[in-house]
Amino acid sequence: PEPAPMLAVNNIEVVYNDVILVLRGLSLKVPQGQIVALLGSNGAGKSTTLKAISGLLKSEDGVITRGDVTFLGERINGVSPDQIVRRGIFQVMEGRRIIADMTVMENLRLGAFIRRDNDIKNDIERVYAYFPRLKERTGLAGYLSGGEQQMLAIGRAMMARPKLILMDEPSMGLSPLLVKEVFGIIRQLNRDLGVTILLVEQNARVALSVADSGYIMEQGKIVLDGTAAHLAANEDVKEFYLGQG
Ligand code: ATP
């Protein structure tokens, strides 16, 4: 039999403000060690799916009304966001959400809030090795460029030493060159550090170029899934998500 996936989302339904049904029986699996892409157009419910996993729904009046989420064999829906981080899941939010009036170093230290060990300095050096540019930026994080803020957001996630990183649209607002750089780093995190990654993207092409497998969602449900190569070759995916070229 197949080994149990690291993360399993089982038939979840999510409602905002008691009325708006956004996820309608969504299921997906993330095997340990993989990069899994979650693709779909605007408003399909991709960000909501990530928040349902990380426990961040509650702060937006969202609730899982049916189904469950399991991580390493344990049910995590209903668990608080900080406890979910402690279990090994870290979400890199859309729009990056770095703290503008703190320095790069202070932002990185925030990522390590769950840790008690003394390796934090080493881990900051490790982040700088991945993102040398961050080391040069000694001022407030608010002065970083969009690309640098994205790097800082990923660096902050690395500081938590997560088993699973949830990434919400890392390509958003970045130039093609920076997209390439950031996705190169995502692949490196996965290969070198063994971090499992669930990647939400509207840029299907770049997501499928680094992912092992993927899911396509529409209106709160998965409509197609398969290996990244299989999806990239699918005629519907090509037409609706990959555009020309
Ligand atoms: P995008 O790429 O635009 O973020 P998405 O696929 O990530 O799209 P979601 O952000 O999950 O989609 O939103 C799915 C639906 O849920 C949308 O119709 C959105 O308007 C609605 N929605 C999202 N957040 C809330 C909220 N806090 N309260 C009410 N409705 C919400």
Side-chain angles (χ1 to χ4, degrees):
E2 267 184 46
M6 176 182 249
L7 177 81
V9 175
N10 306 307
N11 205 21
I12 60 169
E13 197 174 83
V14 166
V15 172
Y16 282 115
N17 304 310
D18 294 332
V19 282
I20 310 165
L21 180 60
V22 171
L23 299 187
R24 308 156 181 268
L26 178 130
S27 300
L28 60 80
K29 293 186 168 94
V30 181
Q32 180 145 12
Q34 283 204 7
I35 300 180
V36 175
L38 178 59
L39 311 172
S41 49
N42 242 322
K46 304 181 298 297
S47 300
T48 299
T49 304
L50 294 190
K51 289 175 200 159
I53 297 166
S54 62
L56 295 174
L57 264 185
K58 220 183 245 172
S59 56
E60 299 193 17
D61 284 320
V63 183
I64 299 177
T65 47
R66 184 159 63 89
D68 60 31
V69 181
T70 61
F71 180 63
L72 300 172
E74 289 179 33
R75 189 181 151 113
I76 57 167
N77 43 314
V79 175
S80 70
D82 74 296
Q83 285 299 330
I84 288 176
V85 172
R86 282 169 215 279
R87 290 183 190 209
I89 301 180
F90 202 101
Q91 179 168 359
V92 178
M93 304 286 279
E94 184 179 27
R96 305 170 197 110
R97 309 277 176 96
I98 54 136
I99 314 284
D101 57 5
M102 287 171 78
T103 63
V104 167
M105 175 89 80
E106 286 165 344
N107 269 278
L108 289 176
R109 286 183 178 280
L110 276 184
F113 76 94
I114 54 168
R115 290 173 47 189
R116 300 231 170 113
D117 56 276
N118 295 318
D119 257 1
I120 289 172
K121 275 211 173 98
N122 286 335
D123 279 20
I124 289 179
E125 288 306 319
R126 187 175 73 168
V127 171
Y128 289 155
Y130 272 74
F131 302 106
R133 226 173 307 168
L134 289 182
K135 192 169 185 171
E136 298 159 15
R137 301 291 184 263
T138 51
L140 297 180
Y143 296 116
L144 298 177
S145 70
E148 290 164 350
Q149 290 188 17
Q150 185 58 266
M151 290 172 189
L152 178 54
I154 295 172
R156 187 170 59 182
M158 288 169 68
M159 293 300 297
R161 292 203 181 172
K163 300 183 177 87
L164 171 67
I165 295 184
L166 310 175
M167 288 207 186
D168 202 346
E169 307 243 4
S171 77
M172 196 168 66
L174 302 187
S175 68
L177 200 68
L178 273 173
V179 169
K180 224 175 147 191
E181 189 174 334
V182 166
F183 275 77
I185 284 173
I186 291 171
R187 199 198 306 243
Q188 231 179 315
L189 281 177
N190 172 254
R191 288 201 185 151
D192 302 349
L193 304 180
V195 185
T196 305
I197 296 170
L198 175 58
L199 177 65
V200 157
E201 261 300 337
Q202 278 193 57
N203 187 336
R205 187 182 302 280
V206 71
L208 290 176
S209 77
V210 299
D212 298 288
S213 61
Y215 290 87
I216 310 248
M217 70 180 292
E218 281 308 329
Q219 298 181 8
K221 274 188 179 162
I222 300 299
V223 292
L224 192 64
D225 71 271
T227 64
H230 176 87
L231 290 176
N234 179 286
E235 290 304 326
D236 289 337
V237 175
K238 280 194 202 166
E239 182 175 350
F240 295 112
Y241 302 99
L242 294 175
Q244 304 295 312

